[in-house]
Coordinates of all heavy atoms in Angstrom, one line a residue:
M1 N 96.3 22.1 -22.8 CA 95.9 23.7 -22.8 C 96.7 24.1 -21.5 O 96.3 23.9 -20.4 CB 94.5 23.7 -22.5 CG 93.7 23.3 -23.7 SD 91.9 23.9 -23.4 CE 91.2 22.2 -23.0
I2 N 97.7 24.9 -21.8 CA 98.7 25.4 -20.7 C 98.4 26.9 -20.6 O 98.6 27.6 -21.6 CB 100.1 25.1 -21.1 CG1 100.3 23.6 -21.1 CG2 101.1 25.7 -20.0 CD1 101.7 23.2 -21.4
G3 N 98.1 27.3 -19.4 CA 98.0 28.8 -19.2 C 96.8 29.4 -19.7 O 96.8 30.6 -20.0
V4 N 95.7 28.7 -20.1 CA 94.5 29.3 -20.7 C 93.3 28.8 -19.9 O 93.2 27.8 -19.3 CB 94.3 28.9 -22.3 CG1 95.5 29.4 -23.0 CG2 94.2 27.4 -22.2
A5 N 92.3 29.8 -19.9 CA 91.0 29.4 -19.3 C 90.4 28.2 -20.2 O 90.3 28.4 -21.3 CB 90.1 30.5 -19.3
A6 N 89.9 27.2 -19.5 CA 89.4 26.1 -20.2 C 88.4 25.3 -19.3 O 88.7 25.0 -18.3 CB 90.3 25.2 -20.9
L7 N 87.2 24.9 -19.8 CA 86.3 24.1 -19.0 C 86.1 24.8 -17.7 O 86.0 24.2 -16.6 CB 86.9 22.8 -18.8 CG 87.2 21.9 -20.0 CD1 87.9 20.6 -19.7 CD2 85.8 21.6 -20.8
G8 N 86.1 26.1 -17.5 CA 85.8 26.8 -16.4 C 87.0 26.8 -15.4 O 86.8 27.2 -14.2
G9 N 88.2 26.5 -15.9 CA 89.3 26.6 -15.0 C 90.6 26.9 -15.5 O 90.6 27.4 -16.7
Y10 N 91.7 27.0 -14.9 CA 93.1 27.4 -15.1 C 94.0 26.3 -14.8 O 93.8 25.5 -13.8 CB 93.4 28.7 -14.5 CG 92.7 30.0 -15.1 CD1 91.4 30.1 -14.4 CD2 93.2 30.7 -15.8 CE1 90.6 31.2 -14.8 CE2 92.5 31.8 -16.3 CZ 91.2 32.1 -15.7 OH 90.5 33.2 -16.2
G11 N 95.2 26.3 -15.3 CA 96.3 25.5 -15.0 C 97.0 24.9 -16.1 O 96.6 25.1 -17.2
G12 N 97.9 24.2 -15.7 CA 98.8 23.5 -16.8 C 98.8 22.1 -16.6 O 97.9 21.5 -16.0
V13 N 99.8 21.3 -17.0 CA 99.9 19.9 -16.9 C 100.0 19.5 -15.4 O 100.7 20.1 -14.6 CB 101.2 19.4 -17.5 CG1 101.4 17.9 -17.4 CG2 101.1 19.8 -19.1
E14 N 99.2 18.7 -14.9 CA 99.1 18.5 -13.6 C 99.2 16.9 -13.3 O 98.7 16.2 -14.2 CB 97.8 18.9 -12.9 CG 97.7 20.4 -13.0 CD 96.6 21.0 -12.3 OE1 95.8 20.2 -11.4 OE2 96.2 22.1 -12.5
P15 N 99.8 16.4 -12.2 CA 99.8 14.9 -12.0 C 98.5 14.4 -11.6 O 97.5 15.2 -11.1 CB 100.7 14.8 -10.8 CG 100.6 16.2 -10.1 CD 100.2 17.1 -11.1
T16 N 98.2 13.1 -11.7 CA 97.0 12.6 -11.3 C 97.1 11.7 -10.0 O 96.1 11.2 -9.6 CB 96.4 11.6 -12.4 OG1 97.4 10.6 -12.7 CG2 96.1 12.3 -13.7
N17 N 98.3 11.8 -9.5 CA 98.5 11.1 -8.2 C 99.7 11.6 -7.5 O 100.4 12.5 -8.1 CB 98.5 9.6 -8.4 CG 99.6 9.1 -9.5 OD1 100.5 10.0 -9.7 ND2 99.6 8.0 -9.9
G18 N 99.9 11.1 -6.4 CA 101.2 11.6 -5.6 C 102.5 11.1 -6.1 O 102.6 10.2 -7.0
Y19 N 103.5 11.6 -5.7 CA 104.9 11.2 -6.0 C 105.2 9.7 -5.7 O 105.6 9.1 -6.5 CB 105.9 12.2 -5.3 CG 107.3 11.7 -5.7 CD1 107.9 12.2 -6.7 CD2 108.1 11.1 -4.7 CE1 109.3 11.8 -7.2 CE2 109.4 10.8 -4.9 CZ 110.1 11.1 -6.1 OH 111.3 10.8 -6.4
S20 N 104.8 9.4 -4.5 CA 104.9 8.0 -4.1 C 103.9 7.8 -2.9 O 103.4 8.7 -2.4 CB 106.3 7.6 -3.6 OG 106.6 8.5 -2.5
G21 N 103.7 6.6 -2.5 CA 102.9 6.2 -1.4 C 101.3 6.4 -1.7 O 100.9 6.5 -2.9
V22 N 100.6 6.7 -0.6 CA 99.3 6.7 -0.7 C 98.6 8.0 -0.3 O 97.3 8.1 -0.4 CB 98.5 5.6 0.0 CG1 98.8 4.2 -0.4 CG2 98.9 5.6 1.6
K23 N 99.4 8.9 0.2 CA 98.9 10.3 0.5 C 99.5 11.3 -0.4 O 100.6 11.3 -0.8 CB 99.3 10.5 1.9 CG 98.9 9.4 2.8 CD 98.6 10.1 4.3 CE 98.4 9.0 5.3 NZ 96.9 8.8 5.5
C24 N 98.5 12.2 -0.7 CA 98.8 13.4 -1.7 C 97.9 14.6 -1.3 O 96.8 14.3 -1.0 CB 98.8 12.9 -3.1 SG 99.1 14.3 -4.3
W25 N 98.4 15.7 -1.3 CA 97.7 16.9 -1.1 C 97.9 17.8 -2.2 O 99.0 18.2 -2.7 CB 98.0 17.5 0.2 CG 97.3 18.9 0.5 CD1 96.1 19.0 1.1 CD2 97.8 20.1 0.3 NE1 95.7 20.3 1.2 CE2 96.8 21.0 0.8 CE3 99.0 20.7 -0.1 CZ2 96.9 22.5 0.7 CZ3 99.2 21.9 -0.2 CH2 98.2 22.9 0.2
G26 N 96.7 18.4 -2.8 CA 96.8 19.5 -3.7 C 95.7 20.2 -4.0 O 94.6 20.0 -3.3
T27 N 95.6 21.1 -4.8 CA 94.4 22.0 -5.1 C 93.4 21.1 -5.9 O 92.3 20.9 -5.2 CB 94.8 23.2 -5.9 OG1 95.8 24.0 -5.1 CG2 93.6 24.0 -6.2
I28 N 93.7 20.8 -7.0 CA 92.8 19.8 -7.8 C 93.7 18.9 -8.6 O 94.4 19.4 -9.5 CB 91.9 20.6 -8.8 CG1 90.8 21.5 -8.0 CG2 91.1 19.6 -9.6 CD1 89.9 22.4 -8.8
L29 N 93.8 17.6 -8.3 CA 94.8 16.8 -9.0 C 94.1 16.3 -10.3 O 93.0 15.9 -10.3 CB 95.0 15.4 -8.0 CG 95.7 15.8 -6.7 CD1 95.9 14.5 -5.9 CD2 97.0 16.4 -7.1
G30 N 94.8 16.5 -11.4 CA 94.4 16.0 -12.6 C 93.3 16.9 -13.2 O 92.5 16.4 -14.0
G31 N 93.1 18.1 -12.6 CA 92.0 18.9 -13.2 C 92.3 20.4 -13.1 O 93.4 20.9 -12.8
L32 N 91.5 21.2 -13.6 CA 91.7 22.7 -13.7 C 90.9 23.3 -12.6 O 90.0 22.8 -12.0 CB 91.2 23.2 -15.0 CG 91.9 22.6 -16.3 CD1 91.2 23.2 -17.5 CD2 93.4 22.9 -16.3
H33 N 91.3 24.6 -12.2 CA 90.8 25.3 -11.1 C 90.6 26.7 -11.5 O 91.1 27.2 -12.4 CB 91.6 25.2 -9.9 CG 93.1 25.7 -10.0 ND1 93.2 27.1 -10.0 CD2 94.2 25.2 -10.5 CE1 94.5 27.3 -10.2 NE2 95.1 26.1 -10.6
N34 N 89.7 27.5 -10.8 CA 89.5 28.8 -11.1 C 90.5 29.7 -10.3 O 91.1 29.2 -9.4 CB 88.0 29.1 -10.8 CG 87.7 29.3 -9.3 OD1 88.4 29.8 -8.5 ND2 86.5 28.7 -8.9
P35 N 90.8 31.0 -10.6 CA 91.7 31.7 -10.0 C 91.5 32.1 -8.5 O 92.5 32.5 -7.9 CB 91.8 33.0 -10.7 CG 90.8 33.0 -11.9 CD 90.0 31.6 -11.8
S36 N 90.3 31.9 -8.0 CA 90.0 32.2 -6.6 C 90.2 31.0 -5.7 O 89.9 30.9 -4.6 CB 88.6 32.8 -6.5 OG 87.7 31.9 -7.0
T37 N 90.6 29.8 -6.2 CA 90.7 28.6 -5.5 C 91.9 28.7 -4.5 O 93.0 29.0 -5.0 CB 91.0 27.5 -6.3 OG1 89.8 27.3 -7.2 CG2 91.1 26.1 -5.6
I38 N 91.8 28.5 -3.3 CA 92.8 28.4 -2.3 C 92.7 27.1 -1.5 O 91.8 26.7 -1.2 CB 92.5 29.6 -1.3 CG1 92.6 30.9 -2.0 CG2 93.6 29.5 -0.1 CD1 92.4 32.1 -1.1
S39 N 93.9 26.5 -1.4 CA 94.1 25.3 -0.7 C 95.1 25.5 0.5 O 96.2 26.0 0.2 CB 94.6 24.2 -1.5 OG 93.6 23.8 -2.6
V40 N 94.7 25.2 1.7 CA 95.7 25.4 2.9 C 95.9 24.0 3.6 O 94.9 23.2 3.9 CB 95.1 26.4 3.7 CG1 96.0 26.5 5.1 CG2 94.9 27.8 3.1
L41 N 97.0 23.7 3.9 CA 97.4 22.6 4.7 C 98.1 23.1 5.8 O 99.1 23.8 5.8 CB 98.3 21.6 3.9 CG 98.8 20.4 4.7 CD1 97.7 19.4 5.1 CD2 99.8 19.5 3.8
S42 N 97.6 22.9 7.1 CA 98.2 23.5 8.3 C 98.4 22.2 9.3 O 97.5 21.5 9.5 CB 97.2 24.5 8.9 OG 97.7 25.1 10.1
Q43 N 99.5 22.4 10.0 CA 99.9 21.3 11.0 C 100.7 22.0 12.1 O 101.6 22.9 11.7 CB 100.6 20.3 10.3 CG 101.0 19.1 11.2 CD 100.0 18.2 11.7 OE1 99.1 17.9 10.8 NE2 99.9 17.9 12.9
T44 N 100.6 21.7 13.3 CA 101.3 22.1 14.4 C 102.3 21.0 14.8 O 101.9 19.9 15.0 CB 100.5 22.6 15.6 OG1 99.6 23.7 15.0 CG2 101.3 23.1 16.7
F45 N 103.6 21.3 15.0 CA 104.6 20.4 15.4 C 105.3 20.8 16.7 O 105.5 22.0 17.0 CB 105.6 20.3 14.3 CG 105.2 19.8 13.0 CD1 104.7 20.6 11.9 CD2 105.1 18.5 12.8 CE1 104.3 20.2 10.7 CE2 104.6 18.0 11.4 CZ 104.3 18.9 10.5
D46 N 105.7 19.8 17.4 CA 106.5 20.1 18.6 C 107.9 19.6 18.3 O 108.3 18.5 18.1 CB 105.9 19.0 19.7 CG 106.7 19.3 21.1 OD1 107.7 20.0 21.1 OD2 106.4 18.6 22.1
L47 N 108.7 20.7 18.3 CA 110.2 20.5 17.9 C 111.1 20.5 19.1 O 112.2 20.6 18.9 CB 110.6 21.5 16.8 CG 109.8 21.5 15.5 CD1 110.4 22.6 14.6 CD2 109.9 20.0 14.8
T48 N 110.5 20.4 20.2 CA 111.2 20.4 21.5 C 112.2 19.2 21.3 O 111.8 18.1 21.0 CB 110.3 20.0 22.8 OG1 109.4 21.1 22.7 CG2 111.2 20.0 24.1
G49 N 113.6 19.5 21.6 CA 114.5 18.3 21.5 C 115.0 18.1 20.1 O 115.9 17.3 19.9
S50 N 114.4 18.8 19.1 CA 114.9 18.6 17.8 C 116.0 19.5 17.4 O 116.1 20.6 17.9 CB 113.7 19.0 16.7 OG 112.6 18.1 16.9
T51 N 116.9 19.1 16.6 CA 118.1 19.9 16.1 C 118.2 19.7 14.5 O 117.8 18.7 13.9 CB 119.4 19.4 16.7 OG1 119.6 18.1 16.4 CG2 119.5 19.8 18.2
N52 N 118.6 20.8 13.9 CA 118.8 20.7 12.5 C 117.6 20.2 11.6 O 117.6 19.4 10.7 CB 120.1 19.9 12.1 CG 121.4 20.3 12.8 OD1 121.6 21.5 12.7 ND2 122.1 19.4 13.4
T53 N 116.4 20.7 12.1 CA 115.2 20.3 11.5 C 115.0 20.8 10.1 O 115.4 22.0 9.8 CB 114.0 20.8 12.3 OG1 114.1 20.3 13.6 CG2 112.7 20.3 11.7
L54 N 114.7 19.9 9.1 CA 114.4 20.1 7.8 C 113.0 19.7 7.4 O 112.4 18.8 7.9 CB 115.5 19.4 6.8 CG 116.8 19.8 7.1 CD1 117.7 18.8 6.2 CD2 117.2 21.2 6.6
L55 N 112.3 20.5 6.6 CA 111.1 20.2 5.9 C 111.4 19.7 4.4 O 112.0 20.4 3.8 CB 110.1 21.3 5.9 CG 108.9 21.1 5.1 CD1 108.0 20.0 5.7 CD2 108.0 22.4 5.0
L56 N 111.1 18.4 4.1 CA 111.3 18.0 2.8 C 110.1 17.4 2.2 O 109.3 16.8 2.9 CB 112.3 16.7 2.9 CG 113.7 16.9 3.3 CD1 113.8 16.9 4.9 CD2 114.6 16.0 2.8
F57 N 109.7 17.8 1.0 CA 108.7 17.4 0.3 C 108.9 17.4 -1.3 O 109.8 18.1 -1.8 CB 107.3 18.2 0.7 CG 107.5 19.7 0.3 CD1 107.1 20.2 -0.9 CD2 108.1 20.5 1.3 CE1 107.2 21.6 -1.1 CE2 108.2 22.0 1.1 CZ 107.7 22.3 -0.1
Q58 N 108.1 16.7 -2.0 CA 108.1 16.6 -3.4 C 107.0 17.6 -3.9 O 105.9 17.5 -3.4 CB 107.8 15.1 -3.9 CG 109.0 14.2 -3.6 CD 110.1 14.4 -4.4 OE1 110.2 15.1 -5.4 NE2 111.2 14.0 -3.9
E59 N 107.2 18.3 -4.9 CA 106.3 19.5 -5.3 C 106.2 19.5 -6.8 O 107.2 19.3 -7.6 CB 106.9 20.7 -4.8 CG 106.2 22.0 -5.4 CD 106.9 23.3 -5.0 OE1 108.1 23.4 -4.9 OE2 106.1 24.1 -4.6
W60 N 104.9 19.6 -7.3 CA 104.7 19.7 -8.7 C 103.9 21.0 -8.8 O 102.7 21.1 -8.3 CB 103.9 18.5 -9.2 CG 103.6 18.6 -10.6 CD1 102.9 19.7 -11.2 CD2 103.8 17.6 -11.7 NE1 102.7 19.3 -12.7 CE2 103.3 18.0 -12.9 CE3 104.4 16.3 -11.6 CZ2 103.3 17.3 -14.0 CZ3 104.4 15.7 -12.7 CH2 103.9 16.1 -14.0
L61 N 104.6 22.0 -9.4 CA 103.8 23.4 -9.4 C 103.9 23.9 -10.8 O 105.1 24.5 -11.2 CB 104.4 24.3 -8.4 CG 103.8 25.7 -8.5 CD1 102.3 25.6 -8.0 CD2 104.5 26.7 -7.5
D62 N 102.8 23.8 -11.5 CA 102.8 24.2 -12.9 C 101.8 25.3 -13.0 O 100.6 25.0 -12.9 CB 102.5 23.2 -14.0 CG 102.5 23.7 -15.4 OD1 103.0 24.8 -15.7 OD2 101.9 23.0 -16.2
S63 N 102.2 26.6 -12.9 CA 101.2 27.6 -13.1 C 100.5 27.8 -14.5 O 99.6 28.6 -14.5 CB 102.0 28.9 -12.7 OG 102.8 29.3 -13.7
G64 N 101.0 27.2 -15.5 CA 100.4 27.3 -16.7 C 100.6 28.7 -17.3 O 99.9 29.2 -18.2
G65 N 101.6 29.4 -16.8 CA 101.9 30.8 -17.2 C 101.2 31.8 -16.5 O 101.5 33.1 -16.9
N66 N 100.4 31.7 -15.7 CA 99.7 32.7 -14.9 C 100.5 33.3 -13.8 O 101.5 32.6 -13.5 CB 98.3 32.3 -14.5 CG 98.3 31.2 -13.4 OD1 99.0 31.3 -12.4 ND2 97.7 30.1 -13.7
T67 N 100.0 34.2 -13.2 CA 100.7 34.9 -12.1 C 100.1 34.6 -10.7 O 100.6 35.2 -9.6 CB 100.8 36.3 -12.2 OG1 99.6 36.9 -12.4 CG2 101.7 36.6 -13.5
F68 N 99.0 33.8 -10.7 CA 98.2 33.7 -9.3 C 98.6 32.4 -8.7 O 98.0 32.2 -7.7 CB 96.8 34.0 -9.4 CG 96.1 33.2 -10.6 CD1 95.8 32.1 -10.4 CD2 95.8 33.9 -11.8 CE1 95.1 31.4 -11.5 CE2 95.1 33.2 -12.8 CZ 94.9 32.0 -12.7
D69 N 99.0 31.4 -9.4 CA 99.3 30.0 -8.9 C 100.6 30.0 -8.1 O 101.7 30.3 -8.8 CB 99.4 29.0 -10.0 CG 98.1 28.6 -10.4 OD1 97.0 28.6 -9.7 OD2 97.9 28.2 -11.5
T70 N 100.6 30.0 -6.8 CA 101.9 30.0 -6.1 C 101.8 28.9 -5.0 O 100.7 28.4 -4.6 CB 102.0 31.3 -5.3 OG1 101.0 31.6 -4.4 CG2 102.3 32.4 -6.5
A71 N 103.0 28.5 -4.5 CA 103.1 27.6 -3.4 C 103.8 28.4 -2.3 O 104.9 28.9 -2.6 CB 103.7 26.4 -3.7
E72 N 103.4 28.4 -1.1 CA 104.1 29.1 0.0 C 104.2 28.2 1.2 O 103.3 27.5 1.5 CB 103.3 30.3 0.5 CG 103.0 31.4 -0.5 CD 102.2 32.5 -0.1 OE1 102.6 33.2 0.9 OE2 101.0 32.6 -0.4
V73 N 105.3 28.4 2.0 CA 105.4 27.7 3.2 C 105.6 28.9 4.3 O 106.6 29.7 4.2 CB 106.7 26.8 3.3 CG1 106.9 26.2 4.8 CG2 106.4 25.7 2.4
I74 N 104.8 28.9 5.1 CA 104.7 30.0 6.2 C 104.8 29.3 7.5 O 104.1 28.4 7.7 CB 103.4 30.9 6.2 CG1 103.3 31.6 4.7 CG2 103.4 31.8 7.2 CD1 102.1 32.3 4.5
V75 N 105.8 29.7 8.4 CA 106.0 29.0 9.7 C 105.9 30.2 10.7 O 106.7 31.1 10.7 CB 107.4 28.4 9.7 CG1 107.6 27.7 11.0 CG2 107.5 27.2 8.6
N76 N 105.0 29.9 11.6 CA 104.8 30.9 12.6 C 104.7 32.3 12.2 O 105.2 33.2 12.7 CB 106.0 30.8 13.8 CG 105.7 29.6 14.7 OD1 104.8 28.7 14.4 ND2 106.7 29.3 15.5
G77 N 103.9 32.5 11.0 CA 103.8 33.8 10.5 C 104.8 34.3 9.5 O 104.7 35.4 9.0
T78 N 105.9 33.6 9.4 CA 107.0 34.0 8.6 C 107.1 33.3 7.4 O 107.1 32.0 7.3 CB 108.3 33.9 9.3 OG1 108.3 34.7 10.4 CG2 109.4 34.4 8.3
Q79 N 107.0 33.9 6.1 CA 107.1 33.2 5.0 C 108.5 32.7 4.6 O 109.5 33.4 4.6 CB 106.7 34.0 3.8 CG 106.8 33.3 2.3 CD 106.4 34.3 1.3 OE1 107.0 35.2 1.0 NE2 105.2 34.0 0.6
L80 N 108.8 31.4 4.6 CA 110.0 30.8 4.3 C 110.3 30.3 2.9 O 111.4 30.1 2.5 CB 110.2 29.6 5.2 CG 110.2 29.9 6.8 CD1 110.4 28.6 7.6 CD2 111.3 31.0 7.1
Y81 N 109.1 30.2 2.2 CA 109.3 29.7 0.7 C 108.1 30.2 -0.1 O 107.0 30.3 0.4 CB 109.3 28.1 0.8 CG 109.3 27.5 -0.4 CD1 110.5 27.3 -1.2 CD2 108.1 26.9 -1.0 CE1 110.5 26.6 -2.4 CE2 108.1 26.3 -2.2 CZ 109.3 26.0 -2.9 OH 109.4 25.4 -4.0
L82 N 108.5 30.5 -1.2 CA 107.5 31.0 -2.2 C 107.9 30.6 -3.6 O 109.1 30.8 -4.2 CB 107.4 32.5 -2.4 CG 106.5 33.1 -3.4 CD1 105.1 32.6 -3.2 CD2 106.6 34.7 -3.4
A83 N 107.1 29.8 -4.3 CA 107.4 29.3 -5.8 C 106.1 29.7 -6.6 O 105.0 29.6 -6.1 CB 107.7 27.8 -5.7
D84 N 106.4 29.9 -7.8 CA 105.3 30.3 -8.7 C 105.7 29.7 -10.2 O 106.0 30.4 -11.0 CB 105.1 31.8 -8.7 CG 106.2 32.5 -9.3 OD1 107.4 32.0 -9.4 OD2 106.1 33.7 -9.7
G85 N 105.4 28.5 -10.3 CA 105.6 27.8 -11.6 C 106.6 26.8 -11.6 O 107.2 26.5 -10.5
G86 N 107.0 26.2 -12.7 CA 107.8 25.6 -12.9 C 108.3 24.4 -12.9 O 107.6 24.2 -12.8
P87 N 109.0 23.4 -13.1 CA 108.9 22.5 -14.1 C 107.6 21.6 -13.9 O 107.1 21.4 -12.9 CB 110.1 21.6 -14.0 CG 110.4 21.7 -12.5 CD 110.0 23.0 -12.0
T88 N 107.3 21.0 -15.2 CA 106.1 20.2 -15.1 C 106.5 18.8 -14.8 O 106.4 17.9 -15.6 CB 105.3 20.3 -16.4 OG1 106.2 19.9 -17.4 CG2 104.6 21.6 -16.6
T89 N 107.0 18.6 -13.7 CA 107.6 17.3 -13.2 C 107.8 17.4 -11.6 O 107.7 18.6 -11.1 CB 109.0 16.9 -13.8 OG1 109.4 15.6 -13.4 CG2 110.0 17.9 -13.4
W90 N 107.9 16.4 -11.0 CA 108.1 16.4 -9.5 C 109.4 16.9 -9.2 O 110.5 16.6 -9.9 CB 108.0 15.0 -8.8 CG 106.5 14.5 -9.0 CD1 105.9 13.6 -9.8 CD2 105.5 14.8 -8.1 NE1 104.6 13.4 -9.6 CE2 104.3 14.2 -8.5 CE3 105.3 15.8 -7.0 CZ2 103.1 14.4 -7.8 CZ3 104.2 16.0 -6.3 CH2 103.1 15.3 -6.7
R91 N 109.6 17.8 -8.2 CA 111.0 18.3 -7.7 C 110.9 18.1 -6.3 O 109.9 18.5 -5.6 CB 111.3 19.6 -8.2 CG 110.3 20.7 -7.7 CD 110.7 22.1 -8.2 NE 109.7 23.0 -7.7 CZ 109.6 24.2 -8.3 NH1 110.2 24.5 -9.3 NH2 108.5 25.0 -7.8
R92 N 112.1 17.9 -5.8 CA 112.4 17.9 -4.3 C 112.6 19.2 -3.7 O 113.4 19.8 -4.3 CB 113.4 16.9 -3.9 CG 113.6 16.6 -2.5 CD 114.6 15.7 -2.2 NE 114.7 15.3 -0.7 CZ 115.7 14.6 -0.2 NH1 116.7 14.2 -0.9 NH2 115.6 14.3 1.1
T93 N 112.0 19.6 -2.7 CA 112.1 20.8 -2.0 C 112.6 20.6 -0.6 O 112.0 19.7 0.2 CB 110.8 21.6 -2.0 OG1 110.4 21.8 -3.4 CG2 110.9 23.0 -1.4
I94 N 113.6 21.4 -0.1 CA 114.1 21.3 1.3 C 114.1 22.6 1.9 O 114.7 23.5 1.2 CB 115.5 20.7 1.2 CG1 115.6 19.3 0.6 CG2 116.0 20.6 2.6 CD1 117.0 18.8 0.3
I95 N 113.5 22.8 3.0 CA 113.4 24.0 3.7 C 114.0 23.8 5.1 O 113.7 23.0 5.7 CB 111.9 24.6 3.8 CG1 111.4 24.7 2.4 CG2 111.9 25.8 4.5 CD1 109.9 25.0 2.4
D96 N 115.0 24.7 5.5 CA 115.7 24.7 6.7 C 114.8 25.2 7.7 O 114.3 26.4 7.8 CB 116.9 25.4 6.6 CG 117.7 25.5 7.9 OD1 117.3 24.8 9.0 OD2 118.8 26.1 8.0
L97 N 114.4 24.4 8.8 CA 113.6 24.8 9.9 C 114.3 24.9 11.2 O 113.7 25.0 12.4 CB 112.3 24.0 10.0 CG 111.3 23.8 8.8 CD1 110.3 22.9 9.3 CD2 110.8 25.2 8.6
S98 N 115.6 25.0 11.2 CA 116.4 24.8 12.3 C 116.3 26.1 13.2 O 116.5 25.9 14.4 CB 117.9 24.6 12.0 OG 118.3 25.7 11.3
A99 N 115.7 27.1 12.7 CA 115.5 28.3 13.5 C 114.4 28.0 14.5 O 114.3 28.8 15.6 CB 115.2 29.4 12.7
Y100 N 113.6 26.9 14.3 CA 112.5 26.7 15.2 C 112.8 25.5 16.1 O 111.9 25.0 16.9 CB 111.2 26.4 14.3 CG 110.9 27.6 13.5 CD1 111.4 27.6 12.1 CD2 110.2 28.7 14.0 CE1 111.1 28.7 11.4 CE2 109.9 29.7 13.1 CZ 110.3 29.7 11.9 OH 110.1 30.7 11.1
D101 N 114.1 24.9 16.1 CA 114.5 23.8 17.0 C 114.2 24.3 18.3 O 114.5 25.3 18.8 CB 116.0 23.5 16.7 CG 116.2 22.9 15.4 OD1 115.3 22.4 14.8 OD2 117.3 22.7 15.1
G102 N 113.7 23.4 19.1 CA 113.4 23.6 20.6 C 112.1 24.2 20.9 O 111.7 24.2 22.1
M103 N 111.4 24.6 19.9 CA 110.0 25.2 20.2 C 108.9 24.1 20.1 O 109.0 23.0 19.5 CB 109.7 26.2 19.0 CG 110.7 27.4 19.0 SD 110.1 28.5 17.8 CE 111.3 29.8 17.9
A104 N 108.0 24.4 21.1 CA 106.9 23.3 21.4 C 105.8 23.4 20.4 O 105.2 22.5 20.0 CB 106.4 23.4 22.7
N105 N 105.5 24.6 19.8 CA 104.4 24.9 19.0 C 104.7 25.6 17.8 O 104.8 26.8 17.7 CB 103.2 25.7 19.8 CG 102.6 24.9 20.9 OD1 102.0 23.8 20.7 ND2 102.8 25.5 22.0
V106 N 105.1 24.8 16.7 CA 105.5 25.4 15.4 C 104.4 25.0 14.4 O 104.1 23.9 14.2 CB 106.8 24.8 14.9 CG1 107.3 25.4 13.7 CG2 108.0 25.0 16.0
Q107 N 103.9 26.1 13.8 CA 102.9 26.0 12.9 C 103.2 26.6 11.5 O 103.6 27.7 11.6 CB 101.5 26.5 13.3 CG 100.3 26.2 12.4 CD 99.1 26.7 12.9 OE1 99.0 27.3 13.9 NE2 98.1 26.3 12.3

């Protein structure tokens, strides 16, 4: 069931585990969610002494055809990345964070 309300939820094909390793973060792994579901992952980093910093992650984002499922990366209040849908497989995402090199509190 792709992009339809079912069992009280929305979504498309979803993975049941992480890309690799033992840690994974997601809204609902292997299940459907309602349109008001929000998941937030927040971390503060010390980039003092860092140069050419990149954020790399594997992403699976299948919106099931709706317009409310998105993934965002916001750094110190600035949106650096926005995705809404697409492929129903893992994809590698790379975001340049070098503008924050040398900063002590990057969130």
